[in-house]
Amino acid sequence: MTQPILQARGLVKRYGRVTALDNCDFDLMAGEILAVIGDNGAGKSSLIKALSGAIKPDAGEIRLDGQEVAFASPLEAQNAGIATVYQTLALSPALSIVDNMFIGHEIRKEGIAGSLFRALDHGKMRDFARQKLNELGLMTIQNIDQKVETLSGGQRQGVAVARAAAFGSKVIILDEPTAALGVKESRKVLDLILDVRSRGIPIILISHNMPHVFEVADRIHVHRLGKRLCVINPKDYTMSDAVAFMTGAKQPEGVMAEA
């Protein structure tokens, strides 16, 4: 079997008497869209936070490209190649598209102006931002100096995904990317997700929207009671099956960790 690009084994996370992760396993393969679904309180958020460095598991191991990693912060995970786009997007509305894309990745001018006076090379930053937006088909954004607060919900999601994809990400985690969007905007975001996947970047998609999950996911990780219940192929199961697995109304037969 191909080595997973991101893997977790036996993750445990407790908050007092509450066990959020109970010997949880996880596998993301190269170049795939893996949807993570589960009922409220199933432990999805804790799993994603553990993978992205937002929390430290009490036990278990995480491997990226076969190497064991232990992230102390989301910034460490991002520097290692795991970029997370949260539902809140973590964009600064009052800043421009360019400034938002380069937060933490600013390009300094060459020579003494950049090294001593820390002057930014706005020209290079604009060119790079325009290139990355164009690569992802975000041609509807005409002025990359406009403030993010002037963009639609779908355009904001596009900027956040472009930022995640722009700086050498090995994995992109998308947390409910279409939750607050209408039908037309959701369509654009789903197309964007497929486009990112086509460029070889694997995606973890957390979503409650079953039609969206079944449309774009290559595999579906079903999370229940703090652990991976099963991984299913959306071509072999219905949305009703997936919901039944999530809620415990139905148990998967012969479909376990290595589905």
Side-chain angles (χ1 to χ4, degrees):
M1 184 177 176
T2 306
Q3 175 78 28
I5 187 169
L6 182 61
Q7 182 179 58
R9 288 292 179 267
L11 294 185
V12 175
K13 184 63 182 177
R14 297 186 180 92
Y15 299 97
R17 295 184 178 181
V18 177
T19 300
L21 294 176
D22 185 11
N23 286 300
C24 172
D25 294 339
F26 178 87
D27 292 291
L28 174 70
M29 310 308 291
E32 76 168 344
I33 298 173
L34 176 71
V36 176
I37 63 172
D39 212 351
N40 291 331
K44 302 188 306 298
S45 294
S46 294
L47 170 62
I48 297 310
K49 287 178 180 178
L51 296 174
S52 63
I55 63 171
K56 185 177 180 180
D58 299 323
E61 68 173 28
I62 297 172
R63 291 182 177 273
L64 179 63
D65 277 336
Q67 301 298 313
E68 187 170 355
V69 293
F71 302 126
S73 68
L75 183 59
E76 274 194 18
Q78 182 177 320
N79 290 337
I82 300 176
T84 305
V85 179
Y86 295 102
Q87 190 172 347
T88 54
L89 297 183
L91 297 175
S92 298
L95 295 181
S96 70
I97 295 169
V98 176
D99 289 338
N100 268 280
M101 284 192 68
F102 279 91
I103 291 176
H105 297 278
E106 292 85 356
I107 299 176
R108 306 288 177 187
K109 286 187 176 180
E110 295 181 1
I112 192 171
S115 60
L116 183 61
F117 296 103
R118 303 187 63 77
L120 300 181
D121 193 330
H122 293 285
K124 279 188 178 179
M125 289 164 63
R126 285 192 187 93
D127 291 344
F128 184 84
R130 168 56 66 194
Q131 176 190 342
K132 293 303 176 182
L133 291 172
N134 285 347
E135 283 179 4
L136 293 174
L138 298 170
M139 300 295 290
T140 55
I141 298 175
Q142 298 298 322
N143 179 13
I144 58 175
D145 289 313
Q146 69 188 93
K147 293 181 179 180
V148 162
E149 63 190 2
T150 66
L151 302 178
S152 68
Q155 288 175 324
R156 293 187 193 197
Q157 190 70 241
V159 170
V161 172
R163 181 176 65 184
F167 297 101
S169 297
K170 299 177 182 178
V171 174
I172 295 179
I173 302 173
L174 299 179
D175 180 20
E176 299 284 359
T178 61
L181 304 180
V183 175
K184 192 173 180 180
E185 294 276 83
S186 293
R187 177 71 266 156
K188 292 179 181 177
V189 171
L190 293 177
D191 289 341
L192 179 60
I193 291 171
L194 292 170
D195 193 33
V196 171
R197 191 268 307 273
S198 73
R199 296 172 187 278
I201 303 176
I203 294 171
I204 302 170
L205 171 65
I206 303 96
S207 180
H208 283 96
N209 191 311
M210 288 298 118
H212 291 173
V213 165
F214 271 74
E215 179 179 347
V216 301
D218 298 297
R219 297 188 306 146
I220 300 173
H221 169 122
V222 182
H223 209 74
R224 177 166 166 75
L225 301 177
K227 65 178 66 176
R228 177 171 67 184
L229 174 68
C230 62
V231 180
I232 62 174
N233 186 326
K235 296 177 182 178
D236 299 331
Y237 292 85
T238 66
M239 284 184 258
S240 296
D241 289 332
V243 172
F245 294 153
M246 278 171 44
T247 59
K250 186 176 179 180
Q251 288 296 316
E253 295 181 9
V255 184
M256 296 312 294
E258 302 297 336

